Amino acid sequence: MLDVIILGAGAGGGFPQWNSAAKGCLLAREGKKAKARTQASLAVSGDGQHWFLLNASPDLRQQILATPALHQTGATRGTPIQGVILAGAEIDAITGLFTLREREPFTLMGSPSTLAQLDRNPIFEALDRSIIPRLPLTEGAPVPLLLKDGSPSGLMLEVFTVPGKAPLYVEHEGTKPDDTLGLALSDGQKTMLFIPGCAEITPALKERVSHADLLFFDGTLWHDDEMIRAGLSPKSGHRMGHVSVNEADGPLAQFAHCTKPQKVFIHINNSNPILLDDSPQHHTAKQAGWIVGEDGMRFQLKAES
């Protein structure tokens, strides 16, 4: 089966963001009409016992503590976490790796450009390569996703590039084709997609989504210029490498024909009004068949017998 837990559904900074007094953040702090979210990451398993993390957010320690399925039982030390699969090298996708530096074996996977960013920064050598191997991922046929002892997990992994941009801290170097990955995981019958960042919804991506059973997709902004209009940032969604939920080129319109998958928004920025449970935008997203992701949501897709 495919067993998926949302560890965090928020974008960088989480919700509420630490330095924000915007309406949504105030309501989230008060616990009124808005649920707090940590930064975007998923946990995925083929058996409910051995887990792979999709991205490692800065909130990872908090997320593990809040998720009993990721707790160690039995031996004094250990973890059911078998590996971490990175969709990119943005700060909110990689800094949680430091939480996992306690000499605990797991496999670290990412595109060559993502792993190159880790290689360039000596602080990531705290993840001892002798016990945490780094495995580059390239586009191609699905490959078996192995547990850290080398045995099959029951899942297949396929990576595919999606339009995106270089991480903020190396934007001056230009964007590489594999800076932004989509991840497809399958138990052989059911398939889920993890696409937390996407700058353009291409025909190939729409085709892939139409055949999936479960989709976690970039829900960063509602409108492309919402952060500019709110005085929060000079950057548009496109400038940050994200399509916006309710624009003509965004997921509500572009995936309207994709009726097979359950569709879930993740990586939701604190400025996005879909985070407010009683907002018209939240209602519009739900009416269009989307789930507004929340920390702790669990999805179990069982293979047909």
Side-chain angles (χ1 to χ4, degrees):
M1 69 174 187
L2 273 172
D3 197 348
V4 187
I5 301 172
I6 298 179
L7 301 180
F15 180 65
Q17 185 167 297
W18 67 277
N19 63 342
S20 174
K23 175 184 175 182
C25 290
L26 292 176
L27 290 172
R29 287 195 188 99
E30 296 169 0
K32 297 177 180 178
K33 302 179 182 179
K35 301 177 182 69
R37 269 89 164 172
T38 57
Q39 294 166 88
S41 179
L42 303 183
V44 182
S45 176
D47 59 9
Q49 299 181 46
H50 303 89
W51 295 86
F52 293 86
L53 306 184
L54 309 187
N55 284 351
S57 92
D59 302 314
L60 183 55
R61 179 181 179 276
Q62 174 185 346
Q63 292 168 344
I64 291 172
L65 293 176
T67 308
L70 300 182
H71 294 176
Q72 168 62 4
T73 58
T76 303
R77 281 203 176 188
T79 179
I81 297 170
Q82 305 296 304
V84 178
I85 310 169
L86 301 174
E90 286 287 4
I91 289 171
D92 59 346
I94 63 174
T95 50
L97 291 171
F98 298 127
T99 295
L100 305 178
R101 70 189 185 281
E102 310 293 349
R103 296 195 59 79
E104 187 64 46
F106 66 91
T107 303
L108 177 56
M109 294 164 269
S111 73
S113 67
T114 290
L115 295 184
Q117 295 299 340
L118 304 187
D119 292 344
R120 290 169 62 178
N121 192 328
I123 196 171
F124 286 99
E125 298 307 317
L127 301 164
D128 189 337
R129 294 176 189 245
S130 69
I131 59 174
I132 302 172
R134 299 182 184 185
L135 178 65
L137 301 172
T138 57
E139 284 191 287
V143 296
L145 194 55
L146 301 179
L147 304 181
K148 55 189 175 183
D149 65 3
S151 60
S153 70
L155 299 176
M156 301 290 289
L157 170 66
E158 181 183 0
V159 304
F160 51 96
T161 59
V162 297
K165 73 169 189 64
L168 177 63
Y169 54 90
V170 287
E171 280 187 340
H172 61 282
E173 297 180 359
T175 297
K176 300 177 179 62
D178 64 345
D179 276 335
T180 306
L181 292 182
L183 308 177
L185 289 97
S186 175
D187 64 356
Q189 292 192 31
K190 303 291 186 180
T191 299
M192 63 148 287
L193 302 177
F194 178 65
I195 309 170
C198 180
E200 179 188 357
I201 298 173
T202 64
L205 185 56
K206 286 194 282 188
E207 177 69 13
R208 185 183 288 274
V209 167
S210 70
H211 294 291
D213 298 287
L214 179 60
L215 169 68
F216 296 91
F217 191 79
D218 183 349
T220 306
L221 303 179
W222 181 256
H223 284 306
D224 186 59
D225 65 348
E226 74 183 44
M227 294 184 69
I228 299 171
R229 283 191 281 171
L232 301 174
S233 170
K235 295 181 180 179
S236 67
H238 281 107
R239 169 63 181 82
M240 295 187 293
H242 299 283
V243 292
S244 296
V245 171
N246 199 41
E247 300 288 356
D249 64 348
L252 285 191
Q254 295 298 312
F255 295 141
H257 73 290
C258 299
T259 57
K260 181 182 179 183
Q262 278 187 286
K263 294 177 283 191
V264 186
F265 284 124
I266 50 144
H267 198 274
I268 307 167
N269 194 62
N270 68 89
S271 62
N272 192 331
I274 64 172
L275 290 169
L276 306 180
D277 295 344
D278 63 351
S279 70
Q281 295 87 350
H282 185 100
H283 180 72
T284 295
K286 290 182 67 175
Q287 286 294 106
W290 286 81
I291 296 168
V292 179
E294 299 175 11
D295 294 19
M297 281 183 170
R298 191 165 186 169
F299 303 81
Q300 294 178 311
L301 305 182
K302 295 183 178 180
E304 299 169 4
S305 58

